[in-house]
Amino acid sequence: MSFETHESTGSRRAPLRSLLFVPAAETEWLTGTGAFGADAAILDLTDPSVPGEDKPTALARVVEALVRRGEAGDSGGAALFVRINPLDAWSSVEELRAVARPGLAGLVLPKVQFEQEMRTADRLLTRCEHEQGLPVGGIALVPLLDTARSLGDVRRILGAASRIAYTGPVITPGSELERTLGRRKSSRAAEAHALRARVLREIRGAGAAHPVTGVWSGVEDLSGLRRFAEQNRSLGYAGMLTAHPSHVPVINEVFSPEAGELARAERLIAAVREGQAQGAGAVTFEGRMVDEAMAANAQRIIRRHRRRSQ
Protein backbone atom coordinates (compact mmCIF):
# COMPACT_ATOMS: atom_id res chain seq x y z
CA MET A 1 0.00 0.00 0.00
CA SER A 2 1.33 3.42 -0.96
CA PHE A 3 0.37 6.48 1.06
CA GLU A 4 1.18 8.87 -1.83
CA THR A 5 -1.32 9.34 -4.63
CA HIS A 6 0.69 11.69 -6.84
CA GLU A 7 4.37 12.20 -7.62
CA SER A 8 5.39 15.27 -9.59
CA THR A 9 8.12 15.34 -12.25
CA GLY A 10 10.39 17.14 -9.83
CA SER A 11 9.85 14.66 -7.02
CA ARG A 12 10.96 11.80 -9.28
CA ARG A 13 14.45 13.29 -9.36
CA ALA A 14 16.95 12.06 -6.82
CA PRO A 15 17.32 14.32 -3.77
CA LEU A 16 20.69 16.04 -3.38
CA ARG A 17 22.30 16.64 -0.01
CA SER A 18 25.32 18.61 -1.17
CA LEU A 19 25.82 20.74 -4.29
CA LEU A 20 29.41 21.95 -4.66
CA PHE A 21 30.23 24.96 -6.81
CA VAL A 22 33.28 24.21 -8.98
CA PRO A 23 34.95 26.98 -11.04
CA ALA A 24 34.49 26.05 -14.69
CA ALA A 25 38.23 26.36 -15.30
CA GLU A 26 38.95 23.71 -12.64
CA THR A 27 37.10 20.68 -13.98
CA GLU A 28 39.98 18.46 -12.84
CA TRP A 29 38.17 18.50 -9.46
CA LEU A 30 35.73 16.06 -11.00
CA THR A 31 38.26 13.28 -11.49
CA GLY A 32 39.23 10.69 -8.92
CA THR A 33 37.46 12.16 -5.90
CA GLY A 34 34.02 12.55 -7.46
CA ALA A 35 33.81 16.23 -6.57
CA PHE A 36 35.00 15.51 -3.01
CA GLY A 37 32.01 13.31 -2.28
CA ALA A 38 29.35 15.90 -3.17
CA ASP A 39 26.09 14.58 -4.59
CA ALA A 40 26.29 17.24 -7.32
CA ALA A 41 28.94 19.51 -8.82
CA ILE A 42 27.86 22.88 -10.22
CA LEU A 43 30.36 23.95 -12.89
CA ASP A 44 30.29 27.71 -12.58
CA LEU A 45 30.57 29.95 -15.65
CA THR A 46 29.54 33.17 -13.92
CA ASP A 47 31.55 36.16 -12.73
CA PRO A 48 33.69 36.35 -10.66
CA SER A 49 34.34 32.61 -10.91
CA VAL A 50 35.25 33.07 -14.58
CA PRO A 51 36.41 36.51 -15.79
CA GLY A 52 35.04 37.63 -19.15
CA GLU A 53 38.21 37.01 -21.13
CA ASP A 54 38.40 33.43 -19.83
CA LYS A 55 34.81 32.44 -20.60
CA PRO A 56 35.39 30.80 -24.03
CA THR A 57 38.11 28.53 -22.60
CA ALA A 58 36.06 27.77 -19.48
CA LEU A 59 32.98 26.92 -21.56
CA ALA A 60 35.05 24.57 -23.71
CA ARG A 61 36.30 22.77 -20.59
CA VAL A 62 32.75 22.42 -19.26
CA VAL A 63 31.53 20.97 -22.57
CA GLU A 64 34.47 18.55 -22.55
CA ALA A 65 33.55 17.39 -19.03
CA LEU A 66 29.92 16.89 -20.07
CA VAL A 67 30.93 14.93 -23.16
CA ARG A 68 33.04 12.62 -21.00
CA ARG A 69 30.14 12.14 -18.59
CA GLY A 70 27.70 11.56 -21.43
CA GLU A 71 29.94 8.90 -22.94
CA ALA A 72 30.45 7.24 -19.56
CA GLY A 73 26.74 7.16 -18.83
CA ASP A 74 25.64 6.72 -15.21
CA SER A 75 29.06 6.38 -13.60
CA GLY A 76 27.79 6.86 -10.06
CA GLY A 77 29.77 10.06 -9.58
CA ALA A 78 28.49 13.52 -8.74
CA ALA A 79 25.64 14.73 -10.91
CA LEU A 80 26.86 17.54 -13.18
CA PHE A 81 25.08 20.87 -13.20
CA VAL A 82 26.19 24.08 -14.91
CA ARG A 83 25.55 27.61 -13.70
CA ILE A 84 25.36 29.89 -16.72
CA ASN A 85 25.17 33.68 -16.67
CA PRO A 86 21.77 35.41 -16.35
CA LEU A 87 19.61 34.98 -19.44
CA ASP A 88 19.68 38.65 -20.40
CA ALA A 89 22.26 38.38 -23.20
CA TRP A 90 22.74 36.25 -26.31
CA SER A 91 26.03 35.00 -24.90
CA SER A 92 24.09 33.33 -22.07
CA VAL A 93 21.74 31.68 -24.56
CA GLU A 94 24.79 30.31 -26.34
CA GLU A 95 26.10 28.97 -23.04
CA LEU A 96 22.79 27.19 -22.48
CA ARG A 97 22.81 25.67 -25.98
CA ALA A 98 26.42 24.52 -25.56
CA VAL A 99 25.89 22.70 -22.25
CA ALA A 100 22.41 21.23 -22.84
CA ARG A 101 23.66 17.80 -23.90
CA PRO A 102 24.02 14.25 -22.58
CA GLY A 103 25.82 14.35 -19.25
CA LEU A 104 24.06 17.48 -17.97
CA ALA A 105 21.83 16.82 -14.95
CA GLY A 106 20.63 20.38 -14.52
CA LEU A 107 20.98 24.01 -15.53
CA VAL A 108 21.44 26.58 -12.75
CA LEU A 109 20.16 30.12 -13.33
CA PRO A 110 21.41 32.93 -11.06
CA LYS A 111 19.77 36.25 -10.22
CA VAL A 112 16.31 35.20 -11.33
CA GLN A 113 13.82 38.06 -11.31
CA PHE A 114 10.69 37.01 -13.21
CA GLU A 115 8.75 33.88 -14.15
CA GLN A 116 9.29 34.66 -17.85
CA GLU A 117 12.96 33.79 -17.41
CA MET A 118 11.92 30.30 -16.34
CA ARG A 119 9.57 29.92 -19.30
CA THR A 120 12.30 31.02 -21.70
CA ALA A 121 14.87 28.66 -20.18
CA ASP A 122 12.34 25.80 -20.22
CA ARG A 123 11.57 26.33 -23.92
CA LEU A 124 15.25 26.54 -24.82
CA LEU A 125 16.04 23.35 -22.90
CA THR A 126 13.12 21.54 -24.54
CA ARG A 127 14.43 22.51 -27.98
CA CYS A 128 17.93 21.35 -27.07
CA GLU A 129 16.59 18.05 -25.72
CA HIS A 130 14.79 17.46 -29.02
CA GLU A 131 17.96 18.26 -30.96
CA GLN A 132 20.10 15.98 -28.78
CA GLY A 133 17.60 13.12 -28.72
CA LEU A 134 17.15 13.44 -24.96
CA PRO A 135 13.94 12.89 -22.96
CA VAL A 136 12.01 16.15 -22.76
CA GLY A 137 12.13 17.47 -19.21
CA GLY A 138 15.09 15.32 -18.25
CA ILE A 139 17.42 18.28 -17.61
CA ALA A 140 16.50 19.91 -14.33
CA LEU A 141 16.12 23.68 -14.11
CA VAL A 142 17.49 25.25 -10.93
CA PRO A 143 16.61 28.92 -10.34
CA LEU A 144 18.65 30.43 -7.52
CA LEU A 145 16.48 32.70 -5.38
CA ASP A 146 19.25 35.20 -4.80
CA THR A 147 17.51 38.54 -5.42
CA ALA A 148 14.95 40.44 -3.38
CA ARG A 149 12.62 40.40 -6.40
CA SER A 150 12.73 36.61 -6.72
CA LEU A 151 11.99 36.10 -3.02
CA GLY A 152 8.88 38.21 -3.44
CA ASP A 153 7.47 36.07 -6.25
CA VAL A 154 8.59 32.54 -5.44
CA ARG A 155 5.44 30.65 -6.38
CA ARG A 156 5.03 32.27 -9.80
CA ILE A 157 8.70 31.71 -10.65
CA LEU A 158 8.70 28.08 -9.55
CA GLY A 159 5.34 27.39 -11.16
CA ALA A 160 6.61 28.43 -14.59
CA ALA A 161 8.25 25.09 -15.44
CA SER A 162 7.63 21.51 -14.32
CA ARG A 163 11.34 20.63 -14.56
CA ILE A 164 12.16 22.72 -11.46
CA ALA A 165 13.14 20.58 -8.46
CA TYR A 166 16.19 21.98 -6.66
CA THR A 167 15.86 25.59 -5.63
CA GLY A 168 16.10 27.86 -2.63
CA PRO A 169 17.37 31.11 -1.13
CA VAL A 170 21.09 31.84 -1.44
CA ILE A 171 22.26 34.44 1.07
CA THR A 172 26.01 35.01 1.18
CA PRO A 173 28.12 37.90 2.53
CA GLY A 174 28.41 40.69 0.00
CA SER A 175 25.78 39.20 -2.30
CA GLU A 176 23.23 41.26 -4.19
CA LEU A 177 20.47 39.82 -2.02
CA GLU A 178 22.23 40.83 1.18
CA ARG A 179 22.77 44.35 -0.12
CA THR A 180 19.21 44.85 -1.36
CA LEU A 181 17.76 43.54 1.90
CA GLY A 182 20.08 45.76 3.94
CA ARG A 183 20.86 42.77 6.13
CA ARG A 184 23.79 42.54 8.50
CA LYS A 185 25.16 39.02 8.87
CA SER A 186 26.04 37.65 12.29
CA SER A 187 28.45 34.78 12.90
CA ARG A 188 25.54 32.38 13.53
CA ALA A 189 23.38 33.56 10.57
CA ALA A 190 20.43 33.74 12.97
CA GLU A 191 18.89 36.80 11.33
CA ALA A 192 18.14 34.85 8.14
CA HIS A 193 16.21 32.07 9.91
CA ALA A 194 12.78 33.67 9.46
CA LEU A 195 13.51 34.49 5.83
CA ARG A 196 14.60 30.94 5.01
CA ALA A 197 11.54 29.55 6.80
CA ARG A 198 9.17 31.83 4.86
CA VAL A 199 10.78 31.08 1.51
CA LEU A 200 10.64 27.35 2.23
CA ARG A 201 6.87 27.57 2.72
CA GLU A 202 6.58 29.25 -0.68
CA ILE A 203 8.82 26.64 -2.31
CA ARG A 204 6.76 23.78 -0.88
CA GLY A 205 3.58 25.55 -1.88
CA ALA A 206 4.85 25.78 -5.45
CA GLY A 207 5.49 22.02 -5.48
CA ALA A 208 9.30 22.05 -5.79
CA ALA A 209 10.36 18.69 -4.40
CA HIS A 210 13.90 19.20 -3.15
CA PRO A 211 14.55 22.71 -1.74
CA VAL A 212 18.17 23.58 -1.00
CA THR A 213 19.78 26.61 0.58
CA GLY A 214 23.16 28.05 1.49
CA VAL A 215 25.90 29.15 1.53
CA TRP A 216 27.94 28.92 4.77
CA SER A 217 30.84 31.32 4.25
CA GLY A 218 33.12 30.36 7.14
CA VAL A 219 35.62 28.10 5.40
CA GLU A 220 37.24 26.81 8.59
CA ASP A 221 34.20 27.15 10.87
CA LEU A 222 32.90 23.61 10.56
CA SER A 223 31.07 23.80 13.90
CA GLY A 224 29.14 26.81 12.64
CA LEU A 225 28.47 25.00 9.38
CA ARG A 226 27.04 22.02 11.26
CA ARG A 227 24.71 24.25 13.31
CA PHE A 228 23.59 26.04 10.14
CA ALA A 229 23.02 22.76 8.27
CA GLU A 230 21.09 21.23 11.16
CA GLN A 231 18.92 24.33 11.35
CA ASN A 232 18.18 24.11 7.63
CA ARG A 233 17.32 20.43 7.83
CA SER A 234 15.01 21.09 10.78
CA LEU A 235 13.24 23.77 8.74
CA GLY A 236 12.64 21.22 5.96
CA TYR A 237 15.40 21.82 3.42
CA ALA A 238 16.67 18.73 1.62
CA GLY A 239 20.26 19.86 1.09
CA MET A 240 22.72 22.72 0.86
CA LEU A 241 24.88 24.52 -1.65
CA THR A 242 28.51 25.00 -0.76
CA ALA A 243 31.56 26.64 -2.26
CA HIS A 244 34.24 24.71 -0.36
CA PRO A 245 35.09 20.98 -0.54
CA SER A 246 35.77 20.74 3.19
CA HIS A 247 32.09 21.47 3.86
CA VAL A 248 30.80 18.49 1.86
CA PRO A 249 31.27 15.72 4.49
CA VAL A 250 29.48 17.75 7.18
CA ILE A 251 26.57 18.59 4.89
CA ASN A 252 26.22 14.99 3.70
CA GLU A 253 26.18 13.72 7.27
CA VAL A 254 23.57 16.22 8.47
CA PHE A 255 21.21 15.62 5.54
CA SER A 256 21.45 11.82 5.64
CA PRO A 257 18.84 9.92 7.66
CA GLU A 258 20.27 7.94 10.55
CA ALA A 259 19.68 4.20 10.77
CA GLY A 260 17.34 4.76 13.72
CA GLU A 261 15.32 7.29 11.73
CA LEU A 262 14.87 4.84 8.85
CA ALA A 263 13.90 2.01 11.21
CA ARG A 264 11.37 4.23 12.95
CA ALA A 265 9.88 5.23 9.58
CA GLU A 266 9.41 1.57 8.68
CA ARG A 267 7.70 0.84 12.01
CA LEU A 268 5.42 3.87 11.66
CA ILE A 269 4.30 2.81 8.19
CA ALA A 270 3.58 -0.72 9.43
CA ALA A 271 1.56 0.63 12.37
CA VAL A 272 -0.60 2.87 10.15
CA ARG A 273 -1.19 0.06 7.66
CA GLU A 274 -2.29 -2.26 10.46
CA GLY A 275 -4.60 0.42 11.82
CA GLN A 276 -6.14 1.07 8.41
CA ALA A 277 -6.74 -2.65 7.95
CA GLN A 278 -8.81 -2.50 11.14
CA GLY A 279 -10.70 0.60 9.98
CA ALA A 280 -8.78 3.16 12.08
CA GLY A 281 -7.83 6.51 10.59
CA ALA A 282 -5.21 7.22 13.27
CA VAL A 283 -3.33 4.93 15.63
CA THR A 284 -1.13 5.24 18.68
CA PHE A 285 2.51 4.70 17.77
CA GLU A 286 5.28 4.86 20.38
CA GLY A 287 3.17 7.10 22.58
CA ARG A 288 1.97 9.47 19.83
CA MET A 289 -1.01 9.63 17.50
CA VAL A 290 -0.02 9.08 13.85
CA ASP A 291 -2.05 8.95 10.67
CA GLU A 292 -1.79 8.56 6.88
CA ALA A 293 -0.09 11.92 6.36
CA MET A 294 2.70 10.97 8.75
CA ALA A 295 3.06 7.59 7.04
CA ALA A 296 3.39 9.37 3.69
CA ASN A 297 6.20 11.50 5.07
CA ALA A 298 7.92 8.37 6.43
CA GLN A 299 7.61 6.78 3.01
CA ARG A 300 9.24 9.81 1.38
CA ILE A 301 12.21 9.56 3.77
CA ILE A 302 12.73 5.89 2.89
CA ARG A 303 12.31 6.44 -0.85
CA ARG A 304 14.82 9.29 -0.93
CA HIS A 305 17.36 7.22 0.97
CA ARG A 306 16.94 4.32 -1.44
CA ARG A 307 17.36 6.57 -4.48
CA ARG A 308 20.54 8.03 -3.04
CA SER A 309 21.89 4.55 -2.32
CA GLN A 310 21.26 3.24 -5.87
Side-chain angles (χ1 to χ4, degrees):
M1 178 190 300
S2 173
F3 294 100
E4 299 191 66
T5 58
H6 174 72
E7 189 178 52
S8 66
T9 301
S11 66
R12 290 196 293 270
R13 302 186 193 275
L16 300 173
R17 300 165 299 176
S18 53
L19 299 89
L20 174 65
F21 285 106
V22 177
E26 301 177 18
T27 54
E28 64 272 11
W29 281 18
L30 303 177
T31 62
T33 59
F36 300 93
D39 289 345
I42 302 176
L43 307 182
D44 194 1
L45 287 167
T46 65
D47 294 323
S49 179
V50 179
E53 64 273 14
D54 296 337
K55 288 191 185 299
T57 300
L59 178 58
R61 295 195 67 172
V62 167
V63 171
E64 182 183 357
L66 291 170
V67 169
R68 289 197 302 267
R69 176 57 61 85
E71 291 174 347
D74 186 6
S75 62
L80 295 189
F81 290 68
V82 177
R83 176 162 69 168
I84 65 171
N85 288 279
L87 278 179
D88 55 4
W90 280 112
S91 58
S92 301
V93 175
E94 291 305 312
E95 288 177 354
L96 184 153
R97 290 181 58 82
V99 303
R101 60 177 58 245
L104 181 69
L107 186 78
V108 181
L109 285 183
K111 299 180 180 179
V112 173
Q113 301 272 11
F114 305 102
E115 62 178 301
Q116 186 56 42
E117 296 171 68
M118 294 297 96
R119 299 189 190 283
T120 298
D122 184 39
R123 287 197 295 268
L124 289 170
L125 285 175
T126 297
R127 180 173 179 178
C128 290
E129 288 166 338
H130 279 299
E131 293 173 349
Q132 296 283 341
L134 296 171
V136 173
I139 298 174
L141 185 56
V142 184
L144 297 183
L145 305 176
D146 52 4
T147 69
R149 177 67 180 78
S150 64
L151 293 185
D153 205 8
V154 173
R155 294 204 189 195
R156 290 174 66 87
I157 289 171
L158 301 189
S162 62
R163 64 174 78 230
I164 296 173
Y166 315 102
T167 186
V170 182
I171 308 171
T172 56
S175 66
E176 178 180 341
L177 179 57
E178 187 178 62
R179 291 194 300 272
T180 55
L181 292 176
R183 189 177 65 85
R184 296 180 63 186
K185 186 180 187 310
S186 71
S187 61
R188 299 179 68 90
E191 65 288 325
H193 181 278
L195 175 62
R196 283 181 283 116
R198 181 184 66 78
V199 174
L200 180 66
R201 290 195 297 271
E202 295 296 307
I203 292 171
R204 291 298 191 188
H210 308 304
V212 298
T213 188
V215 175
W216 183 255
S217 59
V219 174
E220 298 181 359
D221 184 10
L222 299 185
S223 295
L225 166 67
R226 183 176 294 276
R227 289 193 299 270
F228 185 59
E230 289 173 347
Q231 182 188 82
N232 287 325
R233 190 184 181 201
S234 295
L235 285 173
Y237 285 95
M240 275 181 57
L241 299 146
T242 182
H244 201 274
S246 68
H247 290 182
V248 171
V250 174
I251 292 172
N252 282 349
E253 180 183 343
V254 170
F255 285 94
S256 295
E258 298 176 352
E261 183 179 357
L262 292 171
R264 183 181 186 278
E266 294 278 12
R267 294 197 305 273
L268 189 151
I269 291 169
V272 173
R273 283 175 174 165
E274 182 180 351
Q276 289 183 337
Q278 298 175 6
V283 298
T284 301
F285 170 73
E286 298 182 359
R288 296 177 179 274
M289 294 299 296
V290 297
D291 57 15
E292 184 172 339
M294 295 178 183
N297 185 59
Q299 226 171 36
R300 282 191 290 271
I301 292 172
I302 294 170
R303 187 179 67 243
R304 289 171 184 174
H305 174 72
R306 287 173 178 167
R307 284 176 178 168
R308 191 176 289 134
S309 301
Q310 291 174 349

